[in-house]
Coordinates of all heavy atoms in Angstrom, one line a residue:
M39 N 25.6 5.8 -13.1 CA 24.6 6.2 -14.1 C 23.2 5.9 -13.4 O 22.9 4.9 -12.9 CB 24.7 5.3 -15.3 CG 23.9 5.7 -16.5 SD 24.2 4.7 -17.9 CE 23.1 3.3 -17.6
I40 N 22.3 6.9 -13.5 CA 21.0 6.8 -13.0 C 20.0 6.6 -14.2 O 20.0 7.4 -15.1 CB 20.6 8.1 -12.2 CG1 21.6 8.4 -11.1 CG2 19.1 8.0 -11.7 CD1 21.5 9.8 -10.6
S41 N 19.3 5.5 -14.1 CA 18.4 5.2 -15.2 C 17.1 6.0 -14.9 O 16.6 6.1 -13.7 CB 18.1 3.7 -15.3 OG 17.5 3.2 -14.2
Q42 N 16.5 6.4 -15.9 CA 15.2 7.2 -15.8 C 14.1 6.2 -15.3 O 13.9 5.2 -16.0 CB 14.9 7.7 -17.2 CG 13.5 8.3 -17.4 CD 13.3 9.6 -16.8 OE1 14.1 10.5 -16.9 NE2 12.2 9.8 -16.0
P43 N 13.5 6.6 -14.2 CA 12.3 5.7 -13.8 C 11.2 5.9 -14.8 O 10.9 7.0 -15.2 CB 12.0 6.3 -12.4 CG 12.5 7.7 -12.4 CD 13.6 7.7 -13.3
H44 N 10.6 4.8 -15.2 CA 9.4 5.0 -16.0 C 8.3 4.0 -15.7 O 8.5 3.1 -15.0 CB 9.8 4.9 -17.5 CG 10.5 3.7 -17.9 ND1 11.8 3.7 -18.3 CD2 10.1 2.4 -18.0 CE1 12.2 2.5 -18.6 NE2 11.2 1.7 -18.5
L45 N 7.2 4.4 -16.1 CA 5.9 3.7 -15.8 C 5.5 3.0 -17.1 O 5.5 3.6 -18.2 CB 4.9 4.7 -15.4 CG 3.5 4.2 -15.1 CD1 3.4 3.4 -13.8 CD2 2.5 5.4 -15.1
I46 N 5.1 1.8 -17.0 CA 4.5 1.1 -18.2 C 3.0 1.1 -18.0 O 2.5 0.7 -16.9 CB 5.1 -0.4 -18.3 CG1 6.6 -0.3 -18.4 CG2 4.4 -1.1 -19.5 CD1 7.2 -1.7 -18.2
A47 N 2.3 1.6 -18.9 CA 0.8 1.6 -18.8 C 0.2 1.6 -20.1 O 0.8 1.8 -21.1 CB 0.4 2.9 -18.0
R48 N -1.1 1.2 -20.1 CA -1.9 1.3 -21.3 C -3.3 1.8 -20.9 O -3.6 1.8 -19.7 CB -2.0 -0.1 -22.0 CG -2.7 -1.1 -21.1 CD -2.8 -2.4 -21.9 NE -3.3 -3.5 -21.0 CZ -3.4 -4.8 -21.4 NH1 -3.1 -5.1 -22.6 NH2 -3.9 -5.7 -20.5
V49 N -4.0 2.2 -21.9 CA -5.4 2.8 -21.7 C -6.2 1.6 -21.2 O -6.1 0.5 -21.7 CB -5.9 3.4 -23.0 CG1 -7.3 3.9 -22.8 CG2 -5.0 4.5 -23.4
R50 N -7.1 1.9 -20.2 CA -8.0 0.9 -19.7 C -8.8 0.3 -20.8 O -9.2 1.0 -21.7 CB -8.9 1.5 -18.6 CG -8.2 1.8 -17.3 CD -9.2 2.3 -16.3 NE -8.6 2.8 -15.1 CZ -8.1 2.0 -14.1 NH1 -8.3 0.7 -14.2 NH2 -7.5 2.6 -13.1
A51 N -9.0 -1.0 -20.8 CA -9.7 -1.7 -21.9 C -11.0 -1.0 -22.2 O -11.4 -0.9 -23.4 CB -9.9 -3.1 -21.5
E52 N -11.8 -0.6 -21.2 CA -13.1 0.0 -21.5 C -13.0 1.4 -22.2 O -14.0 1.9 -22.7 CB -14.0 0.1 -20.3 CG -13.4 1.0 -19.2 CD -12.6 0.3 -18.2 OE1 -11.9 -0.7 -18.5 OE2 -12.5 0.7 -17.0
L53 N -11.8 2.0 -22.1 CA -11.6 3.3 -22.7 C -10.8 3.3 -24.0 O -10.7 4.3 -24.7 CB -10.9 4.2 -21.7 CG -11.6 4.5 -20.4 CD1 -10.7 5.2 -19.4 CD2 -12.8 5.4 -20.7
A54 N -10.2 2.1 -24.3 CA -9.4 2.0 -25.5 C -10.3 2.1 -26.8 O -11.3 1.5 -26.9 CB -8.6 0.7 -25.5
R55 N -9.8 2.9 -27.8 CA -10.6 3.0 -29.0 C -9.9 2.4 -30.2 O -10.5 2.4 -31.3 CB -10.9 4.5 -29.2 CG -12.0 5.0 -28.3 CD -12.3 6.5 -28.7 NE -12.7 7.2 -27.5 CZ -11.9 7.9 -26.7 NH1 -10.6 8.0 -27.0 NH2 -12.3 8.6 -25.7
G56 N -8.6 2.1 -30.1 CA -7.9 1.6 -31.2 C -6.7 0.8 -30.8 O -6.4 0.7 -29.6
E57 N -6.0 0.4 -31.8 CA -4.8 -0.4 -31.6 C -3.8 0.3 -30.8 O -3.1 -0.2 -29.9 CB -4.1 -0.9 -32.9 CG -4.8 -2.1 -33.5 CD -4.8 -3.3 -32.6 OE1 -3.7 -3.6 -32.0 OE2 -5.9 -3.9 -32.4
R58 N -3.6 1.6 -31.0 CA -2.6 2.4 -30.4 C -2.9 2.5 -28.9 O -2.1 2.6 -28.0 CB -2.5 3.8 -31.0 CG -1.3 4.5 -30.7 CD -1.1 5.8 -31.5 NE 0.2 6.5 -31.2 CZ 0.3 7.7 -30.9 NH1 -0.8 8.5 -30.9 NH2 1.5 8.2 -30.6
D59 N -4.3 2.6 -28.6 CA -4.7 2.7 -27.2 C -4.4 1.4 -26.4 O -4.2 1.4 -25.2 CB -6.2 3.0 -27.1 CG -6.5 4.5 -27.4 OD1 -5.5 5.2 -27.6 OD2 -7.7 4.8 -27.4
R60 N -4.5 0.3 -27.1 CA -4.4 -1.0 -26.5 C -2.9 -1.4 -26.3 O -2.6 -2.3 -25.6 CB -5.1 -2.1 -27.3 CG -6.6 -2.1 -26.9 CD -7.2 -3.4 -27.4 NE -7.4 -3.3 -28.9 CZ -8.5 -2.8 -29.5 NH1 -9.5 -2.3 -28.8 NH2 -8.6 -2.8 -30.8
S61 N -2.0 -0.7 -27.0 CA -0.6 -1.1 -26.8 C 0.0 -0.5 -25.5 O -0.5 0.5 -25.1 CB 0.2 -0.8 -28.0 OG 0.1 0.6 -28.4
C62 N 1.0 -1.1 -25.0 CA 1.7 -0.6 -23.7 C 2.6 0.6 -24.1 O 3.4 0.4 -25.0 CB 2.5 -1.6 -23.1 SG 1.7 -3.1 -22.8
H63 N 2.5 1.7 -23.4 CA 3.4 2.8 -23.6 C 4.3 3.0 -22.4 O 3.9 2.6 -21.3 CB 2.6 4.1 -23.8 CG 1.8 4.1 -25.1 ND1 2.2 4.4 -26.3 CD2 0.5 3.7 -25.3 CE1 1.3 4.3 -27.2 NE2 0.2 3.8 -26.7
F64 N 5.4 3.6 -22.6 CA 6.4 3.8 -21.5 C 6.4 5.3 -21.2 O 6.6 6.1 -22.1 CB 7.8 3.4 -22.0 CG 8.0 1.9 -22.1 CD1 7.3 1.2 -23.1 CD2 8.8 1.2 -21.2 CE1 7.5 -0.2 -23.2 CE2 9.0 -0.2 -21.3 CZ 8.3 -0.9 -22.3
F65 N 6.2 5.6 -20.0 CA 6.1 7.0 -19.6 C 7.2 7.3 -18.6 O 7.3 6.7 -17.6 CB 4.7 7.3 -18.8 CG 3.5 7.0 -19.7 CD1 3.0 5.7 -19.8 CD2 2.9 8.0 -20.4 CE1 1.9 5.4 -20.6 CE2 1.8 7.7 -21.2 CZ 1.3 6.4 -21.3
P66 N 8.0 8.3 -19.0 CA 9.1 8.7 -18.0 C 8.4 9.4 -16.8 O 7.5 10.2 -17.0 CB 9.9 9.7 -18.9 CG 9.1 10.2 -20.0 CD 8.0 9.1 -20.2
L67 N 8.9 9.0 -15.6 CA 8.3 9.6 -14.4 C 9.2 10.8 -14.0 O 10.4 10.7 -14.0 CB 8.2 8.6 -13.3 CG 7.1 7.5 -13.5 CD1 7.2 6.5 -12.4 CD2 5.7 8.2 -13.5
P68 N 8.6 11.9 -13.4 CA 9.4 13.0 -12.9 C 10.2 12.5 -11.7 O 9.7 11.7 -10.9 CB 8.3 14.0 -12.6 CG 7.0 13.3 -12.5 CD 7.1 12.1 -13.3
A69 N 11.4 13.1 -11.5 CA 12.3 12.6 -10.5 C 11.7 12.9 -9.1 O 11.9 12.1 -8.1 CB 13.6 13.3 -10.6
E70 N 10.9 13.9 -8.9 CA 10.3 14.3 -7.6 C 9.3 13.3 -7.2 O 8.9 13.3 -6.0 CB 9.7 15.7 -7.6 CG 10.5 16.7 -8.4 CD 10.1 16.7 -9.8 OE1 9.0 17.1 -10.2 OE2 11.0 16.4 -10.6
G71 N 8.7 12.5 -8.1 CA 7.8 11.5 -7.7 C 6.3 12.1 -7.7 O 5.4 11.3 -7.5
S72 N 6.1 13.3 -8.1 CA 4.8 13.9 -8.1 C 4.1 13.5 -9.5 O 4.8 13.6 -10.5 CB 4.7 15.4 -8.0 OG 5.5 16.0 -9.0
M73 N 2.9 13.1 -9.4 CA 2.2 12.6 -10.7 C 1.6 13.8 -11.4 O 0.8 14.5 -10.9 CB 1.2 11.6 -10.3 CG 0.5 10.9 -11.5 SD 1.7 9.8 -12.4 CE 1.6 8.3 -11.3
P74 N 2.1 14.1 -12.6 CA 1.5 15.2 -13.4 C 0.0 14.8 -13.8 O -0.4 13.7 -13.8 CB 2.4 15.3 -14.6 CG 3.0 14.0 -14.7 CD 3.1 13.4 -13.4
S75 N -0.8 15.8 -14.1 CA -2.2 15.6 -14.5 C -2.3 14.8 -15.8 O -3.2 14.1 -16.0 CB -2.9 16.9 -14.6 OG -2.3 17.8 -15.5
V76 N -1.3 15.0 -16.7 CA -1.3 14.3 -17.9 C 0.1 13.7 -18.1 O 1.1 14.4 -18.0 CB -1.6 15.1 -19.2 CG1 -1.6 14.3 -20.4 CG2 -3.0 15.7 -19.0
L77 N 0.2 12.4 -18.4 CA 1.5 11.8 -18.6 C 1.7 11.7 -20.1 O 0.8 11.4 -20.9 CB 1.5 10.4 -18.1 CG 1.4 10.2 -16.5 CD1 1.1 8.8 -16.2 CD2 2.8 10.6 -16.0
H78 N 3.0 12.0 -20.5 CA 3.3 11.9 -21.9 C 4.3 10.8 -22.1 O 5.4 10.7 -21.5 CB 3.9 13.2 -22.4 CG 2.9 14.3 -22.5 ND1 2.1 14.5 -23.6 CD2 2.6 15.3 -21.6 CE1 1.3 15.5 -23.3 NE2 1.5 16.0 -22.1
A79 N 3.9 9.8 -23.0 CA 4.8 8.7 -23.3 C 6.0 9.2 -24.1 O 5.9 10.3 -24.7 CB 4.0 7.6 -24.0
Y80 N 7.0 8.3 -24.2 CA 8.1 8.6 -25.1 C 7.7 8.9 -26.5 O 8.3 9.7 -27.2 CB 9.1 7.5 -25.0 CG 9.9 7.3 -23.7 CD1 9.6 6.2 -22.9 CD2 10.8 8.3 -23.3 CE1 10.3 6.1 -21.7 CE2 11.5 8.1 -22.2 CZ 11.3 7.0 -21.3 OH 11.9 6.9 -20.1
C81 N 6.7 8.2 -27.0 CA 6.3 8.4 -28.4 C 5.4 9.6 -28.6 O 5.0 9.9 -29.7 CB 5.5 7.2 -28.8 SG 3.9 7.0 -28.0
G82 N 5.0 10.3 -27.4 CA 4.2 11.5 -27.6 C 2.7 11.2 -27.2 O 1.9 12.1 -27.1
F83 N 2.4 9.9 -27.0 CA 1.0 9.5 -26.6 C 0.7 10.1 -25.2 O 1.5 10.0 -24.3 CB 1.0 8.0 -26.6 CG -0.4 7.5 -26.3 CD1 -1.3 7.4 -27.4 CD2 -0.8 7.0 -25.1 CE1 -2.6 6.9 -27.1 CE2 -2.1 6.5 -24.8 CZ -3.0 6.4 -25.9
A84 N -0.4 10.8 -25.1 CA -0.8 11.4 -23.8 C -1.9 10.6 -23.1 O -2.8 10.1 -23.8 CB -1.2 12.9 -24.0
I85 N -1.8 10.5 -21.8 CA -2.8 9.7 -21.1 C -3.0 10.4 -19.7 O -2.0 10.9 -19.1 CB -2.3 8.3 -20.9 CG1 -3.5 7.4 -20.5 CG2 -1.2 8.1 -20.0 CD1 -3.1 5.9 -20.6
R86 N -4.2 10.4 -19.2 CA -4.5 10.9 -17.9 C -4.3 9.7 -16.9 O -4.7 8.6 -17.2 CB -5.9 11.4 -17.7 CG -6.1 12.7 -18.5 CD -7.6 13.1 -18.4 NE -8.0 13.9 -19.5 CZ -7.7 15.2 -19.6 NH1 -7.1 15.8 -18.6 NH2 -8.0 15.9 -20.7
P87 N -3.7 9.9 -15.7 CA -3.4 8.8 -14.8 C -4.7 8.0 -14.5 O -4.6 6.8 -14.4 CB -2.9 9.5 -13.6 CG -2.2 10.7 -14.1 CD -3.1 11.2 -15.3
G88 N -5.8 8.6 -14.4 CA -7.1 7.9 -14.2 C -7.6 7.0 -15.3 O -8.3 6.1 -15.1
E89 N -7.1 7.3 -16.5 CA -7.4 6.4 -17.6 C -6.4 5.3 -17.9 O -6.6 4.5 -18.8 CB -7.6 7.3 -18.9 CG -8.6 8.4 -18.8 CD -8.6 9.3 -20.0 OE1 -7.7 9.2 -20.8 OE2 -9.5 10.2 -20.1
A90 N -5.3 5.4 -17.2 CA -4.3 4.4 -17.4 C -4.4 3.2 -16.5 O -4.8 3.2 -15.4 CB -2.9 5.1 -17.2
E91 N -4.0 2.1 -17.1 CA -3.9 0.8 -16.4 C -2.4 0.5 -16.2 O -1.7 0.2 -17.1 CB -4.6 -0.3 -17.2 CG -4.4 -1.7 -16.6 CD -5.0 -2.8 -17.5 OE1 -5.2 -2.5 -18.7 OE2 -5.1 -3.9 -17.0
P92 N -1.9 0.8 -15.0 CA -0.4 0.5 -14.8 C -0.1 -0.9 -14.9 O -0.8 -1.8 -14.4 CB -0.1 1.1 -13.4 CG -1.4 1.7 -12.9 CD -2.5 1.2 -13.7
L93 N 1.0 -1.2 -15.5 CA 1.5 -2.6 -15.7 C 2.8 -2.8 -15.0 O 3.7 -2.0 -15.1 CB 1.5 -2.9 -17.2 CG 0.2 -2.7 -18.0 CD1 0.6 -2.7 -19.5 CD2 -0.8 -3.7 -17.6
D94 N 3.0 -4.0 -14.4 CA 4.3 -4.3 -13.9 C 5.3 -4.7 -14.9 O 6.5 -4.5 -14.8 CB 4.2 -5.6 -12.9 CG 3.4 -5.2 -11.7 OD1 3.4 -4.0 -11.3 OD2 2.7 -6.1 -11.1
A95 N 4.9 -5.2 -16.1 CA 5.7 -5.6 -17.2 C 4.9 -5.4 -18.4 O 3.7 -5.4 -18.4 CB 6.2 -7.0 -17.0
P96 N 5.6 -5.2 -19.6 CA 4.9 -5.0 -20.8 C 4.0 -6.3 -21.1 O 4.6 -7.4 -21.1 CB 5.9 -4.8 -21.9 CG 7.2 -4.4 -21.1 CD 7.0 -5.1 -19.8
V97 N 2.8 -6.1 -21.4 CA 1.9 -7.2 -21.8 C 1.3 -6.8 -23.1 O 1.1 -5.7 -23.4 CB 0.8 -7.6 -20.7 CG1 1.4 -8.1 -19.5 CG2 0.0 -6.4 -20.4
G98 N 0.9 -7.8 -23.8 CA 0.3 -7.6 -25.1 C 1.3 -7.0 -26.1 O 2.5 -7.4 -26.1
M99 N 0.9 -6.0 -26.8 CA 1.7 -5.4 -27.8 C 2.3 -4.1 -27.3 O 1.6 -3.1 -27.0 CB 0.8 -5.1 -29.0 CG 1.6 -4.6 -30.2 SD 0.5 -4.3 -31.6 CE -0.6 -3.1 -31.0
P100 N 3.6 -4.0 -27.1 CA 4.2 -2.8 -26.7 C 4.3 -1.8 -27.8 O 4.4 -2.2 -29.0 CB 5.6 -3.2 -26.2 CG 6.0 -4.4 -26.9 CD 4.7 -5.1 -27.3
C101 N 4.3 -0.5 -27.4 CA 4.4 0.6 -28.5 C 5.9 0.6 -28.9 O 6.8 0.7 -28.1 CB 4.0 1.9 -27.8 SG 4.4 3.3 -28.9
T102 N 6.1 0.4 -30.2 CA 7.4 0.3 -30.7 C 8.2 1.5 -30.5 O 9.4 1.5 -30.1 CB 7.4 -0.1 -32.2 OG1 6.4 -1.1 -32.5 CG2 8.7 -0.5 -32.7
S103 N 7.6 2.7 -30.7 CA 8.3 4.0 -30.5 C 8.8 4.1 -29.1 O 9.9 4.6 -28.8 CB 7.4 5.1 -30.9 OG 6.9 4.9 -32.2
C104 N 7.9 3.8 -28.2 CA 8.2 3.9 -26.7 C 9.3 2.9 -26.4 O 10.3 3.2 -25.6 CB 7.0 3.6 -25.9 SG 5.9 4.9 -25.7
L105 N 9.2 1.7 -26.9 CA 10.2 0.7 -26.6 C 11.6 1.1 -27.0 O 12.6 1.0 -26.3 CB 9.8 -0.6 -27.3 CG 10.2 -1.9 -26.8 CD1 9.7 -2.1 -25.3 CD2 9.7 -3.1 -27.6
M106 N 11.7 1.6 -28.2 CA 13.0 2.1 -28.8 C 13.5 3.3 -27.9 O 14.7 3.3 -27.5 CB 12.8 2.6 -30.2 CG 12.4 1.6 -31.2 SD 13.7 0.3 -31.5 CE 14.8 1.3 -32.5
A107 N 12.7 4.2 -27.6 CA 13.1 5.4 -26.8 C 13.5 5.0 -25.4 O 14.5 5.5 -24.9 CB 11.9 6.4 -26.7
A108 N 12.8 4.1 -24.8 CA 13.1 3.6 -23.4 C 14.4 2.9 -23.4 O 15.2 3.0 -22.5 CB 12.0 2.8 -22.9
A109 N 14.6 2.1 -24.4 CA 15.9 1.3 -24.5 C 17.1 2.2 -24.7 O 18.1 2.0 -24.1 CB 15.8 0.3 -25.7
L110 N 16.9 3.3 -25.5 CA 18.0 4.2 -25.7 C 18.3 5.1 -24.5 O 19.4 5.5 -24.4 CB 17.7 5.1 -27.0 CG 17.6 4.3 -28.3 CD1 17.1 5.3 -29.4 CD2 19.0 3.8 -28.7
S111 N 17.3 5.3 -23.7 CA 17.5 6.3 -22.6 C 17.9 5.6 -21.3 O 18.3 6.2 -20.4 CB 16.2 7.1 -22.3 OG 15.3 6.2 -21.7
S112 N 17.9 4.3 -21.3 CA 18.3 3.6 -20.0 C 19.8 3.1 -20.1 O 20.4 3.2 -21.1 CB 17.4 2.4 -19.8 OG 17.5 1.5 -20.8
Ligands
ZN8 ZN1 4.1 4.8 -27.1

């Protein structure tokens, strides 16, 4: 079984405008490893790589929708 590689990231603090921006989202990464211009989280939240703060582990408040989707897909 191959688990889907994913990236945990949140919007940079200086760019966050609300609670949803401040929570950690899980982004499925393409298998080829090329970074798309816009990343779409499991919950549908879209973020540009330049606006994202990559995280090694979920910190703060994780996005519940992403957490559920990531848990189900792994
Ligand atoms: Zn999310």
